Amino acid sequence: MTEQASGAHHPQPRARTSGGPQQPAVEHVTGAQSLIRSLEEVGADTVFGIPGGAILPAYDPMMDSSKVRHVLVRHEQGAGHAATGYAQATGRVGVCMATSGPGATNLVTPIADAHMDSVPLVAITGQVASKAIGTDAFQEADICGITMPITKHNFLVTDPAEIPRTIAEAFHIAATGRPGPVLVDIAKDALQAQTTFAWPPHTELPGYRPVTKPHAKQIREAARLIVESKRPVLYVGGGVMKAGATTELKVLAELTGAPVTTTLMALGSFPDSHPQHVGMPGMHGSVTAVTALQKSDLLITLGARFDDRVTGKLDSFAPYAKVVHADIDPAEIGKNRAADVPIVGDAREVIADLIVAVQAEHDAGHRGDYGAWWKDLNRWRETYPLGYDLPDDGSLSPQQVIQRIGELAPADTVYAAGVGQHQMWAAHFIDYEKPSTWLNSGGAGTMGYAVPAAMGAKAGQPDRTVWAIDGDGCFQMTNQELVTCALNNIPIKVAIINNGALGMVRQWQTLFYNQRYSNTVLHSGPESNGLVTAGKASGGTRVPDFVKLSEAMGCVAMRCEDPAELDAVIAKANAINDRPVVIDFIVHEDAQVWPMVAAGTSNDEVMAARGVRPDFGDNEDD
């Protein structure tokens, strides 16, 4: 077996051994049987995939297995996003499977998506027979080489005896340290050959030693800065969610009394309703959250990576702040913003140690005074709350639709969003009180994510309601997975926020391209192609008819255009739990996402509404 290891930004594997003094029983099996047995042993209960020539040997023993459920998807991209949704909703490793060549390359987008958002994923691909590798054989693609920049690690297996060890290592790497995708490419002849199976295997991961325990001196220094600061902010990223550190985060926040801002990937890690929560930061973050970071004198950054959508123009971001930066991945610390106190470690252990250290400072009589800070924060919250205007023509407001879905949904509902305006509205107008209730493509911004991710979440959490909040553009990329849902008893609910356009791109054309709507209109009619000027899109014919399309795929489908019918339609969808439900919400096309920081500009230039810059008054510390 040869291994392809990716990532200068990832630690190398480390050695570890497993198994007790007793030798495990040895079975004589095929490589394919060894693969399925290995998946059972690592606890994989669901695999999303499509068979094809090179991976076909692995599908035969699935008929004999009662432990691994295979969900036959309609496109490999759907398999990858479903595995991601499964992982994000359950906290377990998601698994997808595809054949060689185009099957494997169709997994590239979800693998890249999982890599950007640190999702534990194992992608298993078939490869042409080992002697044919490198000959441009039918359906051959160097998927290890292709995915090297977007996997945490990857393997090419040509020896069937290596299958158990490789699967064990793949799941360990995917789930530990900074989680991420791992690809296992297995040659067809390795799947067909006779071999032996024994569990647990001896694993060899030299050099892979994720640091989980933070350095005590750095923790003490961070605690000192917290109690000495006047305007601290807890800047919380998705790493807190990945580490299962949400309980500890709440304790730390309440102990310090500092405001908390949660990034797009961290929504739900701290209750939206908590008085210390000031909202989501970033390009479309709340005015209070964006401004709190800009005016802060100390950022306590936990599991966040200072990405460009949060920082805006980097050299003007949080100009008065010292930075405490804690992350499991040492490559993230100092990558975009220099850290005054760098802390490498698992977020749960970091926060637990910070609690002890801050309490020690309090016991010594050192306590932060944030009274003036909270006076400013509360004034901004009252002056610039999130909100929206209802359309003058009486049509549906997309924000209202999404808000009512959140208000009428059962407790513990999981929401999966596509990418664009509806994603931002779902982030703003649904309250997230618990972790793992908000799934989205944050780093990659992948259109078509919502439906398959919701499918994966529902497969992993069958007793919870799962809503996909999707746009009409996103929906047309992966809606075929509704067939998968209908045939596999995965009754998700889908809200199509149908404005007849690629909404976020259209918003940029409105603001920055003089309302020249080039190729963003999705309906038919005189405005559907080429360059168009401003105008209401409702005059064209909506193609496809999403109600007919969804019904053809085995779903219950409805259309809603009247605000007076909104609650009744949502309630009807919530009451149907034996089939997927799709609602086509025809909404006003001119609604825009606010607040907004234009790309490439400073967060100081945040606009609360179109052209409206907040007035924060003078800050004597500025």
Side-chain angles (χ1 to χ4, degrees):
M1 182 190 75
T2 62
E3 298 182 4
Q4 302 289 339
S6 72
H9 298 303
H10 297 294
Q12 293 298 310
R14 69 177 174 85
R16 68 180 177 96
T17 58
S18 56
Q22 294 183 343
Q23 292 296 318
V26 176
E27 302 175 43
H28 293 278
V29 295
T30 65
Q33 290 172 321
S34 178
L35 171 63
I36 303 305
R37 286 294 310 277
S38 298
L39 290 174
E40 292 174 353
E41 292 292 344
V42 294
D45 58 15
T46 306
V47 175
F48 303 91
I50 303 180
I55 196 65
L56 194 57
Y59 274 78
D60 186 67
M62 285 188 190
M63 294 191 70
D64 304 320
S65 173
S66 60
K67 293 182 181 180
V68 177
R69 176 193 186 190
H70 182 272
V71 177
L72 177 61
V73 299
R74 266 53 193 169
H75 192 286
E76 290 89 357
Q77 182 179 354
H81 290 318
T84 291
Y86 174 97
Q88 289 177 315
T90 65
R92 301 193 293 271
V93 176
V95 187
C96 55
M97 189 176 290
T99 195
S100 63
T105 58
N106 280 343
L107 288 177
V108 169
T109 292
I111 289 172
D113 180 87
H115 181 68
M116 288 288 281
D117 288 346
S118 303
V119 178
L121 183 77
V122 170
I124 300 168
T125 53
Q127 184 53 275
V128 299
S130 55
K131 290 184 179 179
I133 293 175
T135 68
D136 293 331
F138 176 67
Q139 289 193 332
E140 181 186 0
D142 178 11
I143 196 62
C144 286
I146 290 168
T147 61
M148 187 175 291
I150 55 170
T151 52
K152 187 176 177 184
H153 196 69
N154 61 39
F155 301 86
L156 172 61
V157 182
T158 57
D159 180 354
E162 297 295 327
I163 290 173
R165 178 175 73 85
T166 303
I167 294 298
E169 291 176 355
F171 274 73
H172 177 71
I173 293 168
T176 56
R178 179 179 182 172
V182 177
L183 180 125
V184 179
D185 195 33
I186 309 176
K188 185 175 183 178
D189 55 327
L191 292 171
Q192 294 172 317
Q194 290 293 316
T195 185
T196 57
F197 175 82
W199 197 272
H202 175 80
T203 55
E204 300 175 0
L205 296 172
Y208 182 61
R209 298 183 178 87
V211 175
T212 59
K213 186 67 176 174
H215 196 286
K217 180 180 178 182
Q218 302 297 82
I219 292 290
R220 290 194 300 270
E221 179 64 12
R224 182 185 67 81
L225 289 179
I226 290 171
V227 298
E228 289 180 354
S229 65
K230 299 297 183 184
R231 303 187 304 280
V233 176
L234 286 162
Y235 163 26
V236 177
V240 170
M241 194 93 72
K242 299 292 190 302
T246 57
T247 299
E248 289 80 1
L249 172 64
K250 189 168 183 285
V251 172
L252 177 65
E254 293 177 346
L255 177 65
T256 62
V260 179
T261 179
T262 49
T263 68
L264 184 67
M265 293 305 300
L267 296 180
S269 60
F270 190 76
D272 278 359
S273 61
H274 197 287
Q276 287 175 243
H277 190 248
V278 296
M280 180 182 78
M283 173 178 280
H284 292 293
S286 73
V287 170
T288 305
V290 171
T291 308
L293 292 175
Q294 288 301 98
K295 303 291 187 181
S296 172
D297 65 358
L298 178 67
L299 300 183
I300 306 105
T301 307
L302 305 170
R305 57 187 180 87
F306 292 92
D307 68 284
D308 61 293
R309 281 304 186 261
V310 168
T311 66
K313 187 178 179 182
L314 186 60
D315 59 10
S316 66
F317 175 69
Y320 317 111
K322 291 185 177 180
V323 172
V324 173
H325 191 182
D327 202 284
I328 188 73
D329 185 353
E332 287 296 345
I333 298 176
K335 184 178 79 174
N336 293 329
R337 173 68 178 258
D340 298 278
V341 181
I343 303 175
V344 178
D346 177 79
R348 190 171 186 177
E349 296 204 37
V350 169
I351 297 172
D353 286 0
L354 272 176
I355 291 167
V356 174
V358 171
Q359 186 61 60
E361 291 285 348
H362 289 181
D363 293 343
H366 308 143
R367 188 180 293 268
D369 179 5
Y370 313 140
W373 183 221
W374 272 111
K375 184 178 178 181
D376 286 338
L377 293 166
N378 288 329
R379 185 178 76 252
W380 301 334
R381 281 204 286 205
E382 293 167 6
T383 307
Y384 305 105
L386 293 173
Y388 55 90
D389 296 322
L390 296 176
D392 294 334
D393 62 2
S395 59
L396 273 178
S397 156
Q399 300 97 320
Q400 182 185 24
V401 170
I402 292 169
Q403 184 173 32
R404 291 304 289 160
I405 289 172
E407 291 169 346
L408 296 174
D412 297 329
T413 292
V414 176
Y415 303 90
V419 169
Q421 288 180 314
H422 62 280
Q423 176 191 27
M424 295 297 103
W425 289 324
H428 282 319
F429 297 112
I430 295 175
D431 291 330
Y432 302 98
E433 301 297 312
K434 295 181 180 180
S436 303
T437 54
W438 164 249
L439 318 179
N440 84 125
S441 172
T446 307
M447 291 180 69
Y449 168 91
V451 169
M455 176 175 71
K458 184 66 174 178
Q461 299 278 12
D463 296 329
R464 296 173 72 174
T465 298
V466 178
W467 271 96
I469 310 294
D470 219 359
D472 48 328
C474 286
F475 183 73
Q476 291 184 74
M477 293 193 172
T478 52
N479 62 67
Q480 68 272 8
E481 299 309 335
L482 288 172
V483 177
T484 309
C485 293
L487 295 178
N488 288 276
N489 189 29
I490 305 175
I492 66 172
K493 307 180 194 304
V494 181
I496 306 173
I497 308 303
N498 185 353
N499 63 0
L502 298 173
M504 187 64 85
V505 184
R506 187 181 191 278
Q507 176 169 332
W508 281 50
Q509 289 173 334
T510 299
L511 297 176
F512 308 119
Y513 291 88
N514 298 316
Q515 300 183 8
R516 289 163 56 84
Y517 300 121
S518 174
N519 293 285
T520 47
V521 178
L522 295 174
H523 62 85
S524 66
E527 299 173 346
S528 61
N529 295 301
L531 295 173
V532 299
T533 55
K536 205 168 184 301
S538 59
T541 302
R542 304 280 173 139
V543 177
D545 183 324
F546 290 135
V547 171
K548 291 179 180 178
L549 177 63
S550 300
E551 288 176 342
M553 290 189 285
C555 304
V556 176
M558 296 171 271
R559 179 173 290 113
C560 182
E561 301 183 61
D562 186 349
E565 299 174 355
L566 179 60
D567 284 11
V569 170
I570 295 171
K572 183 177 179 180
N574 283 327
I576 298 171
N577 293 301
D578 61 345
R579 283 175 292 171
V581 182
V582 177
I583 308 177
D584 183 17
F585 290 102
I586 307 299
V587 301
H588 199 282
E589 73 166 6
D590 289 327
Q592 296 188 343
V593 179
W594 300 104
M596 181 176 180
V597 178
T601 66
S602 169
N603 283 355
D604 289 326
E605 298 177 43
V606 60
M607 293 178 285
R610 181 175 180 178
V612 177
R613 292 275 305 279
D615 180 9
F616 299 110
D618 293 327
N619 185 325
E620 71 250 8
D621 294 301
D622 292 0

